[in-house]
Amino acid sequence: EVQVVESGGGLVQPGGSLRLSCAASGFTFSNYWMHWVRQAPGKGLVWVSRVNEDGTITTYADSVKGRFTVSRDNAKSTVYLQLNSLRVDDTAVYYCVADRGWEPKVWGQGTLVTVSS
Amino acid sequence: QPVLTQSSSASASLGSSVRLTCTLSSGHSSYIIAWHQQQPGKAPRYLMKFDGSGGYKKGSGLPERFSGSSSGPDRYLTISHVQSEDEADYYCETWDTKTQVFGGGTKLTVL
Protein backbone atom coordinates (compact mmCIF):
# COMPACT_ATOMS: atom_id res chain seq x y z
CA GLU A 1 0.00 0.00 0.00
CA VAL A 2 1.27 3.43 -0.96
CA GLN A 3 1.28 5.64 2.11
CA VAL A 4 3.01 8.34 4.10
CA VAL A 5 2.66 8.58 7.87
CA GLU A 6 3.48 11.70 9.86
CA SER A 7 4.59 11.81 13.48
CA GLY A 8 6.18 14.16 15.97
CA GLY A 9 3.42 16.68 16.58
CA GLY A 10 2.50 17.91 20.01
CA LEU A 11 2.15 20.87 22.34
CA VAL A 12 5.05 23.32 22.46
CA GLN A 13 5.51 26.76 23.96
CA PRO A 14 6.04 29.84 21.80
CA GLY A 15 9.69 30.07 20.83
CA GLY A 16 10.13 26.32 21.14
CA SER A 17 11.12 23.67 18.62
CA LEU A 18 9.72 20.44 17.25
CA ARG A 19 10.77 17.93 14.62
CA LEU A 20 8.17 16.28 12.45
CA SER A 21 8.82 13.04 10.60
CA CYS A 22 7.08 11.46 7.66
CA ALA A 23 7.73 7.81 6.85
CA ALA A 24 6.93 6.59 3.36
CA SER A 25 6.19 3.08 2.16
CA GLY A 26 4.84 1.30 -0.88
CA PHE A 27 6.69 3.40 -3.46
CA THR A 28 10.23 4.36 -4.46
CA PHE A 29 10.73 7.24 -2.06
CA SER A 30 13.89 8.54 -3.72
CA ASN A 31 11.96 9.27 -6.93
CA TYR A 32 9.54 11.67 -5.27
CA TRP A 33 9.53 15.29 -4.24
CA MET A 34 8.20 15.63 -0.72
CA HIS A 35 6.09 18.50 0.57
CA TRP A 36 4.77 19.75 3.88
CA VAL A 37 1.37 21.42 3.90
CA ARG A 38 -0.42 22.79 6.96
CA GLN A 39 -3.95 23.63 7.92
CA ALA A 40 -4.80 25.88 10.83
CA PRO A 41 -8.04 25.08 12.68
CA GLY A 42 -11.01 25.92 10.47
CA LYS A 43 -8.80 27.30 7.71
CA GLY A 44 -7.63 26.22 4.26
CA LEU A 45 -4.56 24.38 3.08
CA VAL A 46 -1.27 26.25 3.05
CA TRP A 47 1.92 24.94 1.47
CA VAL A 48 4.93 25.12 3.80
CA SER A 49 7.98 23.53 2.23
CA ARG A 50 9.28 21.02 -0.31
CA VAL A 51 12.43 19.04 -0.98
CA ASN A 52 13.54 17.41 -4.20
CA GLU A 53 14.38 13.77 -4.75
CA ASP A 54 17.95 13.83 -3.44
CA GLY A 55 17.56 16.61 -0.88
CA THR A 56 19.64 19.18 -2.74
CA ILE A 57 16.80 21.62 -3.48
CA THR A 58 14.59 22.98 -0.73
CA THR A 59 11.94 25.68 -0.93
CA TYR A 60 9.91 27.42 1.76
CA ALA A 61 6.89 29.63 2.15
CA ASP A 62 7.82 33.15 3.21
CA SER A 63 5.98 32.68 6.52
CA VAL A 64 8.39 29.94 7.66
CA LYS A 65 11.61 30.85 5.85
CA GLY A 66 14.51 30.97 8.28
CA ARG A 67 12.59 29.12 10.99
CA PHE A 68 11.71 25.75 9.41
CA THR A 69 14.10 23.31 7.74
CA VAL A 70 13.12 20.38 5.54
CA SER A 71 15.40 17.40 5.00
CA ARG A 72 15.18 13.79 3.95
CA ASP A 73 16.90 10.44 4.47
CA ASN A 74 16.31 8.27 1.42
CA ALA A 75 17.85 5.25 3.13
CA LYS A 76 15.07 5.47 5.72
CA SER A 77 12.37 6.67 3.27
CA THR A 78 11.69 9.51 5.65
CA VAL A 79 11.34 13.28 5.32
CA TYR A 80 11.68 15.65 8.24
CA LEU A 81 10.53 19.15 9.08
CA GLN A 82 12.43 20.94 11.81
CA LEU A 83 10.28 23.69 13.32
CA ASN A 84 12.16 26.36 15.29
CA SER A 85 11.11 29.67 16.85
CA LEU A 86 7.54 28.50 16.85
CA ARG A 87 4.75 31.04 17.05
CA VAL A 88 1.11 30.73 18.07
CA ASP A 89 0.08 31.12 14.43
CA ASP A 90 2.09 28.00 13.51
CA THR A 91 -0.61 25.96 15.23
CA ALA A 92 -1.97 23.61 12.59
CA VAL A 93 -2.26 20.07 11.34
CA TYR A 94 0.86 19.39 9.29
CA TYR A 95 0.50 17.07 6.31
CA CYS A 96 3.21 15.31 4.36
CA VAL A 97 2.63 14.88 0.61
CA ALA A 98 4.57 12.76 -1.89
CA ASP A 99 4.69 14.07 -5.46
CA ARG A 100 6.21 12.93 -8.73
CA GLY A 101 5.47 14.29 -12.18
CA TRP A 102 2.10 13.06 -13.42
CA GLU A 103 1.81 10.45 -10.70
CA PRO A 104 -0.97 10.90 -8.13
CA LYS A 105 0.02 12.84 -5.04
CA VAL A 106 -0.03 10.89 -1.79
CA TRP A 107 -1.31 12.62 1.36
CA GLY A 108 -0.68 11.53 4.91
CA GLN A 109 -3.16 11.72 7.77
CA GLY A 110 -1.44 14.67 9.39
CA THR A 111 0.08 15.48 12.75
CA LEU A 112 -1.17 18.28 15.01
CA VAL A 113 1.20 20.96 16.22
CA THR A 114 -0.14 23.23 18.96
CA VAL A 115 1.87 26.28 19.98
CA SER A 116 0.59 27.68 23.24
CA SER A 117 1.82 28.87 26.60
CA GLN B 1 3.99 33.80 -8.39
CA PRO B 2 0.70 32.19 -9.44
CA VAL B 3 -2.52 32.87 -7.56
CA LEU B 4 -5.55 30.57 -7.60
CA THR B 5 -9.08 31.90 -7.07
CA GLN B 6 -11.98 29.67 -6.02
CA SER B 7 -15.54 30.48 -5.01
CA SER B 8 -16.00 29.97 -1.30
CA SER B 9 -19.11 27.85 -1.60
CA ALA B 10 -21.27 25.84 -3.97
CA SER B 11 -24.27 23.59 -3.65
CA ALA B 12 -25.80 20.75 -5.62
CA SER B 13 -28.80 18.51 -5.24
CA LEU B 14 -28.39 14.79 -4.87
CA GLY B 15 -28.02 13.20 -8.30
CA SER B 16 -27.35 16.45 -10.11
CA SER B 17 -24.09 17.76 -11.56
CA VAL B 18 -21.93 20.58 -10.28
CA ARG B 19 -18.92 22.37 -11.74
CA LEU B 20 -16.34 23.93 -9.47
CA THR B 21 -14.01 26.60 -10.84
CA CYS B 22 -10.40 27.42 -10.12
CA THR B 23 -8.99 30.48 -11.90
CA LEU B 24 -5.29 30.97 -12.54
CA SER B 25 -3.88 34.47 -12.28
CA SER B 26 -2.78 36.48 -15.30
CA GLY B 27 0.35 35.12 -16.93
CA HIS B 28 -0.16 31.67 -15.49
CA SER B 29 -3.03 30.38 -17.58
CA SER B 30 -1.07 27.41 -18.95
CA TYR B 31 -0.12 26.01 -15.56
CA ILE B 32 -0.90 22.48 -14.48
CA ILE B 33 -3.15 22.24 -11.45
CA ALA B 34 -4.17 19.52 -9.04
CA TRP B 35 -7.57 19.07 -7.40
CA HIS B 36 -7.92 17.76 -3.85
CA GLN B 37 -10.98 16.83 -1.80
CA GLN B 38 -11.23 17.14 1.96
CA GLN B 39 -14.23 15.55 3.58
CA PRO B 40 -15.21 16.82 7.05
CA GLY B 41 -12.73 15.74 9.70
CA LYS B 42 -10.49 13.92 7.24
CA ALA B 43 -7.15 14.48 5.58
CA PRO B 44 -7.14 15.81 2.03
CA ARG B 45 -7.39 13.32 -0.81
CA TYR B 46 -5.79 13.77 -4.21
CA LEU B 47 -8.32 13.78 -7.06
CA MET B 48 -6.45 14.61 -10.26
CA LYS B 49 -3.79 16.64 -12.00
CA PHE B 50 -4.94 18.60 -15.04
CA ASP B 51 -2.89 20.53 -17.59
CA GLY B 52 -5.58 22.56 -19.31
CA SER B 53 -4.96 20.86 -22.65
CA GLY B 54 -6.93 17.77 -21.88
CA GLY B 55 -4.17 15.86 -20.17
CA TYR B 56 -4.95 14.64 -16.69
CA LYS B 57 -4.09 11.94 -14.18
CA LYS B 58 -6.78 10.78 -11.80
CA GLY B 59 -6.20 9.32 -8.40
CA SER B 60 -6.58 5.62 -7.80
CA GLY B 61 -10.18 4.56 -7.42
CA LEU B 62 -11.63 7.94 -8.28
CA PRO B 63 -15.12 7.43 -9.70
CA GLU B 64 -15.69 8.28 -13.36
CA ARG B 65 -18.21 10.90 -12.35
CA PHE B 66 -15.31 13.19 -11.40
CA SER B 67 -13.83 14.92 -14.43
CA GLY B 68 -11.69 17.92 -15.30
CA SER B 69 -11.85 20.51 -18.06
CA SER B 70 -10.58 23.98 -18.78
CA SER B 71 -11.14 27.23 -20.63
CA GLY B 72 -8.29 29.73 -20.75
CA PRO B 73 -7.20 30.40 -17.16
CA ASP B 74 -10.17 28.53 -15.69
CA ARG B 75 -9.85 24.94 -14.51
CA TYR B 76 -13.03 23.07 -13.76
CA LEU B 77 -13.87 20.08 -11.63
CA THR B 78 -17.19 18.57 -12.60
CA ILE B 79 -18.95 16.08 -10.39
CA SER B 80 -21.79 14.20 -12.06
CA HIS B 81 -24.50 12.32 -10.20
CA VAL B 82 -23.59 14.08 -6.96
CA GLN B 83 -23.73 11.87 -3.88
CA SER B 84 -23.88 12.73 -0.19
CA GLU B 85 -20.23 11.73 0.31
CA ASP B 86 -19.21 14.42 -2.16
CA GLU B 87 -20.00 17.06 0.45
CA ALA B 88 -16.52 18.35 1.16
CA ASP B 89 -14.03 21.14 0.66
CA TYR B 90 -12.34 21.15 -2.72
CA TYR B 91 -8.94 22.76 -3.21
CA CYS B 92 -6.96 23.43 -6.35
CA GLU B 93 -3.18 23.67 -6.29
CA THR B 94 -0.48 24.80 -8.66
CA TRP B 95 3.26 25.26 -8.57
CA ASP B 96 6.32 26.72 -10.19
CA THR B 97 10.05 26.57 -9.55
CA LYS B 98 9.77 28.77 -6.48
CA THR B 99 6.57 27.83 -4.73
CA GLN B 100 3.40 25.81 -4.46
CA VAL B 101 0.05 27.57 -4.09
CA PHE B 102 -3.40 26.45 -2.98
CA GLY B 103 -6.66 28.13 -3.76
CA GLY B 104 -8.85 29.16 -0.85
CA GLY B 105 -11.10 26.16 -1.33
CA THR B 106 -14.75 25.68 -2.25
CA LYS B 107 -17.15 24.19 0.27
CA LEU B 108 -19.60 21.96 -1.58
CA THR B 109 -22.94 21.38 0.13
CA VAL B 110 -25.13 18.54 -1.07
CA LEU B 111 -28.82 19.34 -0.76
Side-chain angles (χ1 to χ4, degrees):
Chain A
E1 180 188 6
V2 173
Q3 64 176 0
V4 294
V5 179
E6 304 92 338
S7 61
L11 174 63
V12 61
Q13 292 186 337
S17 297
L18 213 54
R19 189 176 85 153
L20 307 182
S21 300
C22 168
S25 59
F27 61 96
T28 306
F29 180 74
S30 59
N31 288 347
Y32 281 70
W33 282 70
M34 298 299 296
H35 302 261
W36 288 95
V37 176
R38 70 184 181 183
Q39 186 172 37
K43 302 296 185 181
L45 301 175
V46 176
W47 173 78
V48 173
S49 180
R50 68 188 179 194
V51 58
N52 72 332
E53 298 92 334
D54 63 5
T56 57
I57 300 173
T58 58
T59 320
Y60 301 92
D62 287 344
S63 59
V64 306
K65 204 172 292 183
R67 300 189 300 121
F68 291 8
T69 302
V70 62
S71 61
R72 65 190 294 160
D73 184 339
N74 285 348
K76 296 182 178 180
S77 295
T78 300
V79 62
Y80 306 97
L81 187 67
Q82 178 69 41
L83 289 64
N84 295 333
S85 303
L86 281 162
R87 310 188 299 222
V88 171
D89 62 358
D90 293 318
T91 294
V93 176
Y94 285 73
Y95 294 102
C96 170
V97 186
D99 188 14
R100 180 191 183 205
W102 275 103
E103 293 301 308
K105 293 177 180 249
V106 181
W107 287 83
Q109 290 303 300
T111 187
L112 176 62
V113 172
T114 302
V115 185
S116 174
S117 55
Chain B
Q1 72 176 41
V3 175
L4 296 171
T5 302
Q6 298 182 255
S7 298
S8 59
S9 64
S11 63
S13 299
L14 266 175
S16 69
S17 294
V18 63
R19 189 174 77 172
L20 307 182
T21 304
C22 172
T23 302
L24 286 152
S25 53
S26 177
H28 304 96
S29 60
S30 63
Y31 277 39
I32 298 169
I33 71 153
W35 283 103
H36 307 280
Q37 176 196 61
Q38 188 175 32
Q39 294 172 320
K42 293 189 174 182
R45 169 196 180 192
Y46 167 85
L47 296 180
M48 67 180 71
K49 288 178 181 176
F50 188 70
D51 70 1
S53 301
Y56 62 91
K57 179 77 171 185
K58 286 186 175 182
S60 173
L62 185 65
E64 290 295 322
R65 54 196 187 79
F66 285 83
S67 63
S69 61
S70 70
S71 176
D74 294 329
R75 303 286 184 269
Y76 306 112
L77 175 69
T78 299
I79 310 172
S80 305
H81 307 293
V82 167
Q83 301 183 6
S84 57
E85 61 262 33
D86 299 333
E87 184 159 289
D89 294 322
Y90 291 84
Y91 295 92
C92 55
E93 177 196 12
T94 194
W95 51 89
D96 64 14
T97 57
K98 296 183 180 179
T99 191
Q100 311 267 139
V101 175
F102 285 92
T106 297
K107 182 178 183 61
L108 175 64
T109 300
V110 178
L111 305 174

